[in-house]
Amino acid sequence: QDHRVRSHFGSSGILRTARHSPHSTSIVVMRTLLTEETLKVPKGCKITVKSKIVEVTGKHGSLKRDFKHLPIELFLSDGGKKVVARMYFAKSKQGSMLNTVC
């Protein structure tokens, strides 16, 4: 019998490994562990993030948005100079939610 192994990615992005035997087929699913977007804070703006509620204050006024409905992690880094939004185990449509935030 021939037991060579072939690997290829199918149309769904799943790595399929199949032996040339009719009874041995295994499927390995590759997952995205972490998706992260970073946004630099412009000069003259002040941003506060508290439990997924973001408040931005600048020279034209202030804006307040609530992101509690999104399954993301939202925080400030570099001493308030960057806003970081993270999502774990996101698929393609879920990962597009990060573009809404950042």
Side-chain angles (χ1 to χ4, degrees):
Q1 291 182 358
D2 189 12
H3 290 286
R4 289 179 293 157
V5 176
R6 287 186 315 163
S7 297
H8 69 281
F9 287 95
S11 61
S12 62
I14 297 173
L15 176 66
R16 298 179 189 277
T17 305
R19 295 185 186 268
H20 292 286
S21 175
H23 300 293
S24 62
T25 301
S26 62
I27 297 175
V28 178
V29 178
M30 304 293 284
R31 293 183 185 257
T32 304
L33 297 179
L34 174 65
T35 306
E36 185 176 275
E37 291 286 330
T38 304
L39 179 68
K40 290 183 182 178
V41 177
K43 290 183 180 180
C45 290
K46 181 185 173 192
I47 295 182
T48 58
V49 177
K50 186 173 181 182
S51 66
K52 295 186 188 178
I53 297 177
V54 180
E55 187 169 358
V56 181
T57 306
K59 64 180 181 179
H60 296 293
S62 64
L63 182 68
K64 190 174 185 180
R65 291 286 184 255
D66 186 0
F67 295 106
K68 288 186 179 182
H69 62 284
L70 297 178
I72 61 172
E73 191 177 294
L74 200 59
F75 60 92
L76 292 172
S77 68
D78 289 341
K81 294 180 183 178
K82 291 183 182 179
V83 178
V84 180
R86 286 184 183 164
M87 182 179 287
Y88 294 94
F89 301 107
K91 295 182 181 174
S92 63
K93 287 188 179 180
Q94 295 168 338
S96 66
M97 286 188 282
L98 288 178
N99 294 331
T100 303
V101 177
C102 287

